[in-house]
Amino acid sequence: MASGEEIRRATELLARARRPVAFTGAGVSAESGIPTFRGSGGLWENYRVEDVATPEAFERNPRLVWEFYNLRREAVFRAEPNPAHRALARLEELFPNFVLITQNVDRLHQRAGSKKVIELHGNLCEVRCTGCGRTFDKTGVRLEWPPRCAECGELLRPAVVWFGEALPLDAWRAAEEAANASDCMLVIGTSAQVYPAAGLIAMARRHGAAIVEVNLEPTAASEMAAISIYGKAAEVLPQIVEAIEWARQSGEMR
Ligand code: OAD
């Protein structure tokens, strides 16, 4: 359980920020019933990355890869945003320069109302043609095997970043820019182990940002953090947002 003192310190750091950034990972969606990747019950406990989440795996056995992604797509379409997603959407309203960088592919941030979202690892809603490269929005659509491009007939693939692939350049540039300019970065629900994404934390830190971590347990980011709050994102973030709103209303912070 996060203590009142921890919430107060995190709130102080965030409330005075001019360019706050949130960097989120799978833990933010845990309370929506979407499994994380690492740790017990994580996706990578039941599947091998090299079987389902690399370009080579798709070459070898696209049907198996699609089965894995169809299961995840269906789980995500059924899921609902939780209070952590909603708290982050509220922060965007409270801070004009707020930017949200996510490693998540579930689009729950957007469904909770966040508008300025940088998706580093793509998303599960869209698919991309392996032939002509066109992208199609298939939110909520069940894809029958084999999913083919309506334009050129080639096989479609999930529009996510696989291991061994480059991050989308525009998203990466925007994320770097936001991290470099940030004076406070909330690092929420990520093990901070997957690069280059996790490198944004050190980047922000180097440029003077105070790192505020929210996670169930210590991570690779903890040693860079001005404060780490150990608790569920869906419980901690609403408390921070409430404290900021209260302080603003009472004229304590601006
Ligand atoms: P991980 O599964 O590596 O880490 C999830 C983190 O969330 C862990 O540190 C947990 O302790 C924490 N956590 C779990 N439940 C939480 C909760 N309710 N509140 C707060 N924290 C909680 O997931 P990511 O760091 O997001 O990449 O993984 C990064 C990337 O690795 C993913 O984007 C994906 C994966 O392989 C690709 O697929 C390219």
Side-chain angles (χ1 to χ4, degrees), residues 158-169:
V160 297
V161 175
W162 283 326
F163 283 87
E165 291 187 317
L167 269 48
L169 194 57

Side-chain angles (χ1 to χ4, degrees), residues 110-146:
Q110 289 91 331
R111 282 174 56 198
S114 286
K115 294 189 178 64
K116 281 188 268 173
V117 183
I118 300 172
E119 289 179 331
L120 290 178
H121 292 163
N123 66 79
L124 291 171
C125 295
E126 292 173 322
V127 297
R128 193 166 69 241
C129 178
T130 56
C132 66
R134 283 191 184 84
T135 300
F136 303 93
D137 190 336
K138 297 284 180 187
T139 308
V141 177
R142 199 192 170 88
L143 298 166
E144 297 304 330
W145 175 259

Side-chain angles (χ1 to χ4, degrees), residues 23-31 34-39 42-44 49 53 69 72 82 84 102-105 120-121 160-165 167 188-195 197 213-220 229-236:
F23 176 59
T24 66
V28 166
S29 297
E31 251 47 62
I34 297 175
T36 60
F37 295 94
R38 293 168 188 80
L43 273 184
W44 298 149
V49 168
Y69 278 94
R72 289 182 62 198
N82 69 54
T102 190
Q103 301 166 89
N104 296 348
V105 292
L120 290 178
H121 292 163
V160 297
V161 175
W162 283 326
F163 283 87
E165 291 187 317
L167 269 48
I188 310 157
T190 177
S191 60
Q193 286 182 35
V194 174
Y195 282 78
E213 180 181 43
V214 180
N215 201 300
L216 293 183
E217 58 189 26
T219 70
I229 302 183
Y230 299 118
K232 290 181 178 170
E235 288 170 10
V236 174

